[in-house]
Amino acid sequence: MSQDELLVLIYKKDEKAFTHLYDMYAKSLFSVISVLIKNTEEAEDVLQEVFVKIWKNLDSYNESKGRFYTWILNIARNTSIDKLRSKNFNNSQKNLSTDNFVNLLEDSNKLVNKVDGIGMQEFIKRLKPKCIQIIDLLFFKGYTQQEAAEELEIPLGTVKTHNRNCINDLRIYLKV
């Protein structure tokens, strides 16, 4: 079935069209979602949500503005980003704090930690405490800059400046 034939059936809300739509695009949309949502179970949930959105919002698709595939790809991407930014997802996906991470690196009894932490202990020790805290919130816990500012009770501009300075420090340490 061609994409044009599929669109005609979808506009008619033909139930078979949904199956064809899924068969044609599920793999490619899932791969895009999986890049953003690392947890397979969560990515599958997002995929299901994406197909429901496509089905319900097909009337908003406009052929003159772009290809159908691009339109559904944007729905998948935006839905994934919305999921990443949701409070429930962030709370369920929080990583260890940097304090715990440093403690893991210092634990010399675990071979896995030794391998994963080669060179990291010295690198982490070089960072300013302020940088460790901001990097932990922004990169390890997935906070937005606004959320980090609220958590640290400092102005948004200060978080942005510290983040930029910390990234520059990382570049210097890594010689990038």
Side-chain angles (χ1 to χ4, degrees):
M1 175 178 294
S2 74
Q3 181 178 300
D4 292 334
E5 293 170 331
L6 177 63
L7 286 174
V8 170
L9 291 175
I10 292 173
Y11 282 124
K12 292 179 181 177
K13 299 293 184 189
D14 184 328
E15 290 181 20
K16 291 178 185 176
F18 188 83
T19 303
H20 288 295
L21 175 71
Y22 187 87
D23 291 342
M24 287 176 73
Y25 298 109
K27 286 182 182 179
S28 59
L29 292 180
F30 186 74
S31 65
V32 169
I33 293 166
S34 295
V35 168
L36 295 166
I37 310 285
K38 304 296 184 205
N39 180 311
T40 304
E41 213 172 273
E42 293 284 341
E44 289 170 351
D45 289 345
V46 170
L47 181 66
Q48 183 178 4
E49 188 177 335
V50 165
F51 276 101
V52 169
K53 284 183 179 182
I54 291 168
W55 189 257
K56 286 183 176 180
N57 297 312
L58 191 67
D59 294 337
S60 67
Y61 169 64
N62 184 343
E63 289 182 38
S64 66
K65 291 185 178 181
R67 295 177 37 217
F68 179 71
Y69 181 72
T70 305
W71 182 72
I72 64 173
L73 200 60
N74 283 330
I75 291 173
R77 186 181 145 280
N78 292 340
T79 304
S80 299
I81 291 170
D82 290 346
K83 181 69 169 182
L84 286 172
R85 289 182 177 164
S86 74
K87 217 170 205 172
N88 289 338
F89 183 79
N90 281 335
N91 288 338
S92 70
Q93 300 296 315
K94 285 188 179 177
N95 291 334
L96 296 172
S97 72
T98 50
D99 294 335
N100 289 337
F101 187 68
V102 171
N103 291 337
L104 283 175
L105 292 175
E106 291 173 349
D107 184 358
S108 60
N109 297 325
K110 295 185 180 179
L111 179 61
V112 173
N113 292 334
K114 285 182 184 178
V115 172
D116 288 342
I118 293 174
M120 290 299 295
Q121 187 176 16
E122 292 304 313
F123 173 72
I124 290 172
K125 286 180 182 176
R126 292 184 199 174
L127 294 174
K128 299 172 194 166
K130 200 180 330 180
C131 286
I132 292 172
Q133 193 175 29
I134 288 175
I135 289 172
D136 179 49
L137 292 175
L138 296 177
F139 297 101
F140 295 117
K141 292 184 178 173
Y143 282 45
T144 64
Q145 289 181 337
Q146 179 65 45
E147 291 168 339
E150 291 168 5
E151 177 76 19
L152 299 172
E153 297 177 350
I154 58 176
L156 176 61
T158 304
V159 169
K160 290 180 178 185
T161 301
H162 286 321
N163 184 32
R164 185 175 50 249
N165 292 338
C166 294
I167 296 299
N168 287 334
D169 289 347
L170 290 172
R171 285 186 181 128
I172 291 168
Y173 294 147
L174 295 171
K175 297 177 183 165
V176 177

